[in-house]
């Protein structure tokens, strides 16, 4: 398999954490990809022009990160998976945490991209909308942090990737303030080998 990736993408980090947790590193070739380059051939594998994209045996390309993660999980433990719980309440909880975490990444990236535009065409209202979306989502995670526990599943890995991205790109803003339960969970969970091994380069 071949993974088209950028080391700074939180969605890629989530996928890389899944690969690490499942012990699949020796089965995945990494291809560093600049999705913003006008010369990139990334659309050949993902018409959306985004990373991550996973090219599997036979040449089919999978995207985006939730699909890739579930596919990788299907390869583990004899096809029974490990990070996506079986149908039931636990699975819905994990998928819900993943959706909330991915949404935090969506809003944070949109805010950052808008902030990189020339000031005369930048929308501060749009940036504030994204900031509020992240803040509300963090407040929700604070309320539910006790449910995250010490397990590794797609929900907890996604939350780790999202909070890591906030530290990476918005380290000047203290998301931990007023969220002691979530902060304590993150401090413990971020000791996982898969999180340490996928740390992005210095901003």
């Amino acid at each position: 398999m071949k993974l088209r990736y950028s080391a700074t993408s939180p969605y890629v980090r989530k996928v890389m954490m899944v690969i690490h947790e499942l012990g699949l590193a020796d089965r995945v070739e990494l291809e560093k990809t600049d999705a913003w380059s006008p010369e990139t051939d990334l659309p050949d594998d993902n018409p959306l022009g985004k990373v991550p994209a996973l090219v599997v045996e036979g040449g089919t390309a999978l995207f985006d990160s939730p699909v890739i993660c579930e596919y990788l999980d299907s390869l583990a433990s004899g096809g029974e998976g490990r990070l996506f719980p079986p149908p039931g309440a636990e699975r819905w909880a994990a998928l819900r945490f993943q959706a909330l975490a991915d949404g935090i990444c969506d809003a944070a990236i949109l805010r950052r991209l808008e902030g990189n535009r020339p000031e005369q065409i930048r929308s501060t209202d749009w940036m504030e909308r994204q900031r509020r979306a992240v803040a509300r989502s963090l407040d929700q995670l604070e309320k539910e942090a006790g449910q995250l526990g010490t397990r590794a599943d797609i929900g907890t890995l996604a939350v780790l990737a999202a909070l890591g991205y906030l530290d990476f790109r918005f380290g000047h803003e203290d998301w931990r303030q007023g969220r002691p339960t979530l902060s304590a969970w993150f401090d413990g969970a971020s000791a996982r080998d898969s999180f340490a091994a996928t740390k992005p380069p210095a901003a």
Side-chain angles (χ1 to χ4, degrees):
M1 297 178 287
K2 179 178 69 176
L3 180 69
R4 308 290 301 266
Y5 83 102
S6 165
T8 60
S9 163
Y11 312 107
V12 167
R13 189 175 195 182
K14 180 180 65 172
V15 170
M16 294 291 289
M17 290 173 69
V18 166
I19 290 171
H20 192 282
E21 293 281 347
L22 297 176
L24 296 174
D26 61 342
R27 297 178 60 180
V28 181
E29 173 192 353
L30 301 179
E31 183 175 324
K32 190 173 183 180
T33 302
D34 181 0
W36 296 96
S37 170
E39 287 82 32
T40 184
D41 63 348
L42 178 60
D44 293 342
D45 292 324
N46 182 355
L48 298 172
K50 296 180 179 181
V51 291
L54 181 71
V55 182
V56 303
E57 295 176 10
T60 299
L62 300 178
F63 46 85
D64 53 6
S65 66
V67 176
I68 294 172
C69 289
E70 189 161 6
Y71 175 79
L72 292 169
D73 197 52
S74 75
L75 303 179
S77 303
E80 296 179 1
R82 285 171 39 192
L83 301 178
F84 285 76
E90 187 178 350
R91 181 180 181 87
W92 294 121
L95 294 179
R96 181 173 176 272
F97 275 124
Q98 179 182 213
L100 188 58
D102 284 356
I104 288 173
C105 296
D106 292 344
I109 289 171
L110 286 172
R111 179 186 172 195
R112 182 172 182 272
L113 291 175
E114 187 68 21
N116 286 340
R117 300 178 75 195
E119 187 173 359
Q120 62 269 24
I121 60 173
R122 186 183 307 162
S123 173
T124 55
D125 288 345
W126 178 251
M127 294 169 63
E128 176 61 16
R129 178 183 177 88
Q130 306 311 321
R131 188 200 65 78
R132 289 197 304 267
V134 170
R136 289 194 304 269
S137 300
L138 291 171
D139 289 342
Q140 189 66 38
L141 285 175
E142 169 67 15
K143 293 176 184 177
E144 301 181 15
Q147 302 175 31
L148 290 168
T150 59
R151 68 190 182 281
D153 63 25
I154 193 58
T156 57
L157 296 182
V159 171
L160 272 172
L163 298 180
Y165 184 74
L166 294 181
D167 280 343
F168 177 56
R169 291 302 193 193
F170 295 91
H172 57 288
E173 299 177 5
D174 186 9
W175 64 261
R176 295 165 178 80
Q177 187 173 0
R179 304 182 182 101
T181 308
L182 181 61
S183 178
W185 174 83
F186 179 76
D187 288 344
S190 61
R192 297 194 70 86
D193 289 345
S194 62
F195 188 75
T198 56
K199 184 178 180 179

